[in-house]
Amino acid sequence: MPYALLDLECMTIQEKYYPLTEEQLKLLEIVTAGTVSVDENIVPDQFRKMAELAEQKGWLVQCEKGTRLQEYQKFRSTKARYTHTLLWSVTGACNLRCKHCYLYGGENRYGELSLEKCDEIIRQCVEANVNMVALTGGEPLVRRDFWTLVDHILAAHIKILQVFTNGMRIDEAFLTEFEKRNINPNYFLISFDGVGCHDWMRGVDGAEKAAVNAIKLFVSHGYRVIVSTALHSGNLASLDETYRLMKELGVDTWKLSTVIDTGNWTQQENNAIDYRSVFDVYLKLLEQYISDGMPLNLTLAGFFVGYKHGDKPYMFPSKRRCSLCNPDTESLCEAVRITPYLLPDGRVLPCIAMSGSSMEDIAPNILAEGQSLEKALSDSPIDRYCRYTYADLFKQNSECAACEHHASCSGCRANALANGGFFKKDPIACTFYAGGYEEKIHNLMKKAPKPVLQVLAERYWQLYLTPSKGKSTSDEYKRIVCEGGLPDGFTSAPDVYPKSFTQCGGNRLYTVQTPAGSVEAVQLQERVDFERFIQILVHKCEPVRIPATMGSCAIMGLTNWRKIQAHKEAFLSAGNPEFLWNAEFASFTADQANYKDSLIVLSSGDYSAVPAGALGLTAEAWQKASVRIRLYHECTHIVCRRRFPEQKHAVWDELLADCIGLCAAFGDYNRSWALRFMGILEKDADDGERPRYIGGRLENYVAEGEQPQALISCILEWTSYLEDHVRSAKQQGDITQDDALFALCLACESGFWKEVYHDK
């Protein structure tokens, strides 16, 4: 890949770069020079067509003539191979005394570079086209000039991808500094070595409490968190409890690996660990993990990687991705080609796991005379290690070459180095294959439930589409929705995760019972997924704006072609001839209940975008109540349409649904809250008793330019009416129970509905 276009905003390895041909590179150099327009005759026709394609991909945007690229956007040439991220240990110092530290952090053997030398490293990163760094240590936050260093990194237009921390110095003040710089890291990574075991491993009392508090703080601010656990014989028994804690805290990824016998760990007695025992514990952990629906990303080093959502729900880290690749060309280690590691003294290692190993003896120091990061990544012992292939391994290691698993095994070179040499076998990978764990995991995974969005996409194939202007009139959309046809690119029924949605955990699909029958509800954790879902299923795949005040929706009359196809298969299997299907189809679809679905869609977040503070509630209490209000709100709409299809008044329906939701969540109706949900203040502090509209769900029912005052008057009257009815209902008994609530407010026989709908 001699030329590439880098996406400086992208945080993932897969989408980071776009390979370019030499011709494409010349085009981009011409049109970004600021002196020539694509439309001018000097630009060849083939270049003009390429420019149109580049604009569609977002590589080019139209600018005024003379606009120049900023310095960091300009094309740069380097001899260094492509490197996604430099894992940079900015200090060897640490405020803990970890028993397994490969850097001897409590002793600070590797020192700490001055800010001036760090600036030189930043300059070298720019020179080597390294656009991402992950900051680690030691403990990076013990640097007194940490924020100055961060500012220097950002000034060079280098992204901070991740921050590794022990959590001891994480507080609101830290996040304030982080957020005011508009830093949006992919993850924060925190070490946590087991419930009840962390303080012993870290050598400081209170380390466990600090780590848990830091995780809670990161998650509460919306950051994704990776928790890394170092396994040894002393904390294996704590894994079940630690797993439950990880779920409770809402971490994105939990990574477990056995301690490498290097650094401080070499001084520990009785530190040996049996890998087969570890793997057997992993199997028990996996059973619970799978049973729970894979609620987080889980990495068990050398054993298993599970993804809470994605096209591939799991993979094996000890298994090569391409068993058919040519061993003469397939790289022996991918990690070193993507994330090399920079020690606190300036030496470059292939990966962080090789710290404290013999690899340090030959590691180039990029601050030494005649050295640089570019040279380390293009002409050094480290670069030579990057170029080793599986053929080289088999030449050096006859045991691996003769192994029946040699074509699929991807043993880790850091594990091999700890086992005696770079070309030695990886004992963890050997245990994995010898124990037949691949088949055991496959058998366990057969029990794994599919992700919620994949289950729904297999019913409603339009969820595989991406909303775009005019999509509702496209042949593909019509074929899927009107004919039950497949999306473009599929030759059989899709059985993959829909790529239009994020790979987030915590989505739920369940059935709700109402007085008008059952209905399914899907609860989506990510706001972006909720909006995409509504765009596709409600707005026919058109990219309409979804108001922030909209947090749920009841979709009725949703065609489920799988039900039609299942009926056809049963019809033909019963011996009926094909030519009779058209008549049977007409008969089957005459009753919409046979193939039309109803679905309640719920989002997370504050109900009607009203913050907890405005209601005098805690954020946690309001979040829980918001989900319950939304559920009962949409159940009310379902019952309305099924029991009273002729009665339709959008705003009245919303007020009544809010009433039911509030009663379900709090056992009472708070009229002022209901008005606030609609965006109405009943009493204007600046204008006496006059109501004022401040922005809320009412905007969804008022045409642009229309004055809502008349409707506000009706809303004030209707909410008073509801308040009276709830007060009367409470005098007759408790209405907080589900059955009593629905029986009182939703049953036809109660007379409640007939009365409130009269003349509304």
Side-chain angles (χ1 to χ4, degrees):
M1 187 183 64
Y3 311 111
L5 191 67
L6 293 180
D7 182 350
L8 299 182
E9 299 299 321
C10 182
M11 293 289 197
T12 63
I13 293 173
Q14 291 82 1
E15 302 170 359
K16 174 71 176 176
Y17 60 89
Y18 304 90
L20 297 175
T21 65
E22 187 171 0
E23 188 178 36
Q24 289 171 326
L25 177 64
K26 289 179 180 178
L27 162 70
L28 292 174
E29 288 176 331
I30 291 173
V31 299
T32 58
T35 57
V36 178
S37 169
V38 174
D39 298 325
E40 295 182 19
N41 293 332
I42 190 174
V43 178
D45 287 342
Q46 67 268 29
F47 276 16
R48 191 172 293 111
K49 292 179 180 178
M50 287 166 52
E52 292 175 359
L53 179 61
E55 188 173 358
Q56 292 174 9
K57 289 180 175 290
W59 299 354
L60 293 175
V61 293
Q62 293 187 5
C63 303
E64 294 183 5
K65 191 170 183 178
T67 302
R68 302 299 180 96
L69 293 176
Q70 297 185 51
E71 192 63 33
Y72 75 94
Q73 293 177 305
K74 292 182 179 178
F75 299 103
R76 297 200 298 264
S77 177
T78 178
K79 295 179 181 178
R81 56 180 167 75
Y82 168 71
T83 299
H84 180 268
T85 303
L86 179 68
L87 183 55
W88 183 4
S89 183
V90 297
T91 181
C94 186
N95 49 0
L96 296 182
R97 299 293 182 269
C98 302
K99 292 178 172 60
H100 66 316
C101 182
Y102 44 80
L103 288 186
Y104 304 91
E107 303 174 26
N108 196 8
R109 292 189 186 183
Y110 293 79
E112 179 178 296
L113 295 175
S114 66
L115 184 62
E116 290 73 21
K117 290 186 177 180
C118 287
D119 285 339
E120 170 60 18
I121 290 173
I122 294 171
R123 186 196 67 78
Q124 290 189 25
C125 285
V126 173
E127 186 179 68
N129 274 346
V130 175
N131 300 286
M132 299 269 196
V133 295
L135 303 181
T136 184
E139 169 55 40
L141 300 189
V142 302
R143 281 194 69 115
R144 294 182 179 180
D145 59 358
F146 176 77
W147 291 115
T148 304
L149 175 59
V150 165
D151 289 336
H152 289 198
I153 292 170
L154 298 177
H157 295 280
I158 295 174
K159 294 283 184 181
I160 296 177
L161 182 70
Q162 297 173 347
V163 176
F164 293 55
T165 176
N166 57 36
M168 297 293 287
R169 295 195 175 188
I170 299 301
D171 54 19
E172 289 283 359
F174 170 82
L175 290 182
T176 297
E177 291 292 329
F178 220 70
E179 289 165 358
K180 77 180 185 181
R181 289 167 170 80
N182 198 29
I183 305 173
N184 186 26
N186 211 6
Y187 294 99
F188 281 101
L189 192 146
I190 292 184
S191 295
F192 185 79
D193 296 319
V195 173
C197 304
H198 189 69
D199 285 0
W200 177 85
M201 179 66 103
R202 300 292 159 173
V204 173
D205 291 341
E208 180 170 334
K209 182 178 179 181
V212 170
N213 288 340
I215 295 169
K216 289 179 178 178
L217 192 59
F218 286 140
V219 172
S220 70
H221 280 253
Y223 293 107
R224 293 190 293 179
V225 176
I226 295 177
V227 172
S228 178
T229 298
L231 287 179
H232 55 95
S233 57
N235 66 355
L236 275 178
S238 72
L239 285 194
D240 287 345
E241 190 174 355
T242 305
Y243 167 65
R244 289 193 293 271
L245 178 63
M246 295 301 102
K247 288 194 302 176
E248 178 185 326
L249 293 176
V251 305
D252 187 90
T253 301
W254 187 28
K255 300 176 68 174
L256 298 91
S257 59
T258 53
V259 178
I260 295 178
D261 194 16
T262 186
N264 285 345
W265 197 246
T266 60
Q267 303 169 20
Q268 299 298 315
E269 295 182 1
N270 302 319
N271 60 9
I273 191 166
D274 177 65
Y275 296 123
R276 187 179 287 272
S277 298
V278 173
F279 285 0
D280 288 340
V281 171
Y282 280 170
L283 282 178
K284 293 180 180 178
L285 177 64
L286 277 183
E287 277 194 79
Q288 186 61 54
Y289 173 69
I290 293 166
S291 175
D292 292 342
M294 302 174 68
L296 45 77
N297 296 320
L298 178 66
T299 296
L300 308 175
F303 188 77
F304 173 88
V305 178
Y307 305 101
K308 53 188 173 184
H309 282 319
D311 292 343
K312 295 182 178 180
Y314 67 106
M315 54 89 69
F316 301 110
S318 289
K319 192 177 180 67
R320 282 151 68 182
R321 297 181 182 179
C322 180
S323 60
L324 299 178
C325 291
N326 187 341
D328 291 326
T329 57
E330 188 181 1
S331 175
L332 189 55
C333 179
E334 288 295 328
V336 66
R337 303 172 65 87
I338 298 173
T339 53
Y341 175 59
L342 184 65
L343 283 164
D345 58 11
R347 285 179 291 172
V348 181
L349 291 175
C351 71
I352 191 172
M354 291 187 180
S355 302
S357 72
S358 59
M359 188 66 69
E360 289 187 1
D361 298 334
I362 60 171
N365 192 316
I366 64 174
L367 296 176
E369 185 176 353
Q371 295 292 334
S372 68
L373 181 59
E374 181 183 48
K375 186 172 182 180
L377 298 177
S378 61
D379 182 19
S380 74
I382 301 303
D383 177 62
R384 286 196 290 277
Y385 274 96
C386 289
R387 301 180 189 278
Y388 283 130
T389 66
Y390 279 92
D392 295 316
L393 170 65
F394 299 147
K395 289 177 183 177
Q396 298 286 336
N397 188 324
S398 58
E399 183 180 2
C400 284
C403 177
E404 61 178 311
H405 303 291
H406 78 276
S408 58
C409 178
S410 66
C412 172
R413 292 305 95 202
N415 292 339
L417 199 61
N419 191 40
F422 188 83
F423 292 112
K424 294 289 185 177
K425 66 181 182 180
D426 172 4
I428 296 179
C430 291
T431 303
F432 177 81
Y433 283 104
Y437 288 102
E438 181 178 356
E439 183 178 358
K440 294 175 183 178
I441 294 173
H442 279 315
N443 291 334
L444 281 178
M445 287 301 297
K446 290 176 182 178
K447 305 174 185 177
K450 290 184 178 179
V452 166
L453 283 169
Q454 181 174 338
V455 170
L456 292 173
E458 290 175 2
R459 296 183 198 169
Y460 317 117
W461 290 346
Q462 59 267 46
L463 289 173
Y464 285 102
L465 305 180
T466 300
S468 60
K469 191 174 182 179
K471 192 70 173 181
S472 61
T473 60
S474 68
D475 292 340
E476 182 182 24
Y477 182 84
K478 292 178 181 177
R479 184 177 68 250
I480 293 172
V481 175
C482 302
E483 303 172 13
L486 292 168
D488 289 347
F490 288 97
T491 57
S492 59
D495 187 23
V496 296
Y497 191 79
K499 294 183 178 180
S500 293
F501 296 91
T502 65
Q503 297 182 10
C504 94
N507 296 332
R508 294 180 59 210
L509 181 64
Y510 52 95
T511 300
V512 183
Q513 299 297 330
T514 79
S518 62
V519 60
E520 278 193 310
V522 57
Q523 186 175 329
L524 302 175
Q525 292 301 308
E526 295 290 340
R527 176 70 190 185
V528 64
D529 287 337
F530 171 77
E531 293 185 0
R532 178 61 54 86
F533 200 89
I534 298 302
Q535 287 173 339
I536 294 174
L537 292 187
V538 177
H539 297 286
K540 301 180 179 180
C541 224
E542 295 291 335
V544 301
R545 184 186 74 87
I546 306 301
T549 53
M550 179 182 181
S552 59
C553 183
I555 307 175
M556 301 187 72
L558 192 58
T559 300
N560 187 335
W561 279 97
R562 285 188 63 183
K563 290 183 176 179
I564 298 174
Q565 291 166 349
H567 183 71
K568 181 178 181 179
E569 291 173 4
F571 179 78
L572 297 177
S573 297
N576 295 299
E578 177 79 31
F579 72 84
L580 290 180
W581 167 245
N582 287 340
E584 178 63 20
F585 174 78
S587 174
F588 181 75
T589 55
D591 183 356
Q592 291 192 357
N594 287 332
Y595 71 101
K596 293 285 189 180
D597 291 347
S598 294
L599 185 66
I600 290 175
V601 189
L602 309 173
S603 70
S604 57
D606 296 334
Y607 187 74
S608 291
V610 176
L615 306 177
L617 299 174
T618 65
E620 183 178 4
W622 183 225
Q623 285 285 311
K624 291 180 179 178
S626 291
V627 172
R628 190 165 176 83
I629 295 173
R630 286 192 177 102
L631 176 60
Y632 279 82
H633 179 110
E634 299 306 334
C635 283
T636 303
H637 287 321
I638 293 290
V639 175
C640 280
R641 299 286 72 80
R642 289 178 178 176
R643 289 284 183 89
F644 305 96
E646 73 285 354
Q647 304 285 3
K648 294 181 181 179
H649 190 297
V651 176
W652 168 253
D653 282 357
E654 286 297 291
L655 295 175
L656 183 60
D658 277 352
C659 173
I660 304 299
L662 282 169
C663 288
F666 297 101
D668 202 354
Y669 178 64
N670 190 316
R671 181 169 177 261
S672 65
W673 287 11
L675 291 173
R676 180 62 187 269
F677 297 158
M678 300 303 289
I680 299 170
L681 291 180
E682 186 175 12
K683 296 181 180 181
D684 190 337
D686 299 327
D687 196 11
E689 297 295 314
R690 182 181 178 184
R692 179 163 63 99
Y693 179 63
I694 60 172
R697 292 210 321 274
L698 185 57
E699 69 175 346
N700 304 336
Y701 306 97
V702 178
E704 187 174 351
E706 180 182 342
Q707 294 298 319
Q709 291 306 318
L711 191 52
I712 288 176
S713 297
C714 288
I715 290 173
L716 293 172
E717 176 189 350
W718 291 341
T719 51
S720 292
Y721 183 88
L722 288 168
E723 187 177 47
D724 291 341
H725 270 273
V726 171
R727 186 183 301 115
S728 175
K730 287 193 69 177
Q731 293 174 357
Q732 301 176 35
D734 184 10
I735 65 169
T736 60
Q737 298 300 315
D738 295 0
D739 293 342
L741 179 69
F742 275 123
L744 170 70
C745 299
L746 303 182
C748 296
E749 303 78 30
S750 69
F752 182 84
W753 281 85
K754 295 176 183 178
E755 184 174 356
V756 297
Y757 263 114
H758 182 64
D759 294 332
K760 295 299 181 185

